[in-house]
Amino acid sequence: MLCGAVNRVGEFCKRLKGEPIVADDAMKHPSTQEFSRDYLLLNGISAVINSPIHADGELQGVLCIERVGPHSAWTSVQRLFAHAVASLVSQALLQNQLLSVKEELRGANQLRRALFESARDAILISDAHTGNILEANPQAEKLFGRPLQQLLGVQPNDVVHYHGESMDIRDLCKRLARTSGVESVHSEMLARDGKRIPIEIRSEVVQLEQGKKIVQGVFRLLDRDNG
């Protein structure tokens, strides 16, 4: 019994409907008899099992097991062997695809992180419901005068004047969550030394899974002449 790929794999793929082709007599089986003259007889093949190889719900190829010599019916053990090998190959292909997807996601996350951390503007990501800060970039740490760990999940005392009102950053994030679409506002921030810093605040509410919302706030320093 020979195990290998045949020259007609593409044509066998078209014939497979999710079930293996089990030809006890390959010369007479309707799915294989047309290959009698230019393949089966040429190679002395009398019986064939073609098992589909699937990955991610799609047919990726065919495992071809061929018997050389007098034809006889495939035993249940031989059929099970073909099915088991095809399943192992399918699992290996799926595992390889999963690894590729993970690598792509890791690369995308690294790029997103690099862009986030190298942004020239201060960026705060906050919970739309509580206003708690979930993420902040280095420019935000510099603007608010606090390291990341002091910004995350706490209520900073930094005051921002927003639409004529004075509020701390967490309350501002909650207010921004009630905006629709992208909003841009010129405002001022009261620094810890008492100075007023003109800033432009751009906010966007992002809908996540399971109804959760986050707010991305971008704080851009303005020249006093243009504030």
Side-chain angles (χ1 to χ4, degrees):
M1 184 167 60
L2 297 178
C3 180
V6 300
N7 297 331
R8 307 292 190 205
V9 168
E11 307 211 14
F12 282 135
C13 285
K14 297 177 183 178
R15 288 169 167 73
L16 289 170
K17 303 296 183 182
E19 296 295 328
I21 295 174
V22 181
D24 294 327
D25 187 343
M27 305 293 182
K28 297 180 179 179
H29 194 283
S31 295
T32 57
Q33 62 182 357
E34 69 179 88
F35 306 117
S36 297
R37 179 178 300 177
D38 60 350
Y39 182 73
L40 300 176
L41 286 172
L42 216 64
N43 294 281
I45 297 169
S46 60
V48 173
I49 295 180
N50 294 323
S51 294
I53 296 173
H54 292 94
D56 199 22
E58 296 183 358
L59 183 64
Q60 302 293 328
V62 181
L63 172 70
C64 300
I65 298 180
E66 304 160 344
R67 174 180 284 124
V68 174
H71 72 79
S72 61
W74 294 101
T75 66
S76 58
V77 173
Q78 290 169 333
R79 296 186 185 199
L80 184 60
F81 170 78
H83 176 73
V85 173
S87 296
L88 286 174
V89 175
S90 295
Q91 291 176 17
L93 288 175
L94 182 58
Q95 184 66 27
N96 184 65
Q97 289 179 357
L98 290 175
L99 289 174
S100 297
V101 170
K102 287 181 179 179
E103 286 298 321
E104 290 177 4
L105 288 175
R106 185 179 295 111
N109 286 334
Q110 289 175 348
L111 176 60
R112 180 194 64 81
R113 169 59 60 179
L115 293 173
F116 179 75
E117 293 185 350
S118 63
R120 298 178 61 184
D121 300 323
I123 302 176
L124 294 179
I125 307 296
S126 62
D127 185 289
H129 176 66
T130 64
N132 287 338
I133 296 172
L134 306 174
E135 188 64 274
N137 71 344
Q139 287 299 326
E141 296 181 70
K142 181 178 178 181
L143 176 63
F144 298 111
R146 286 180 171 81
L148 178 63
Q149 293 305 315
Q150 290 185 19
L151 287 172
L152 298 183
V154 299
Q155 181 175 351
N157 296 319
D158 299 273
V159 175
V160 174
H161 296 276
Y162 182 77
H163 285 315
E165 298 182 50
S166 296
M167 61 185 70
D168 60 52
I169 296 301
R170 190 168 72 169
D171 287 339
L172 171 64
C173 290
K174 292 168 68 174
R175 175 72 64 88
L176 295 177
R178 295 195 289 270
T179 63
S180 58
V182 180
E183 181 171 322
S184 177
V185 175
H186 284 207
S187 185
E188 286 185 330
M189 174 181 168
L190 187 62
R192 304 180 77 176
D193 60 4
K195 293 182 180 179
R196 292 179 178 269
I197 304 174
I199 56 175
E200 177 189 7
I201 304 173
R202 298 182 70 253
S203 64
E204 182 176 3
V205 179
V206 180
Q207 181 74 52
L208 302 180
E209 295 179 354
Q210 300 178 345
K212 185 177 180 179
K213 293 181 181 180
I214 61 171
V215 180
Q216 175 177 280
V218 179
F219 301 78
R220 174 171 294 178
L221 294 176
L222 299 174
D223 293 334
R224 293 190 178 275
D225 295 337
N226 299 326

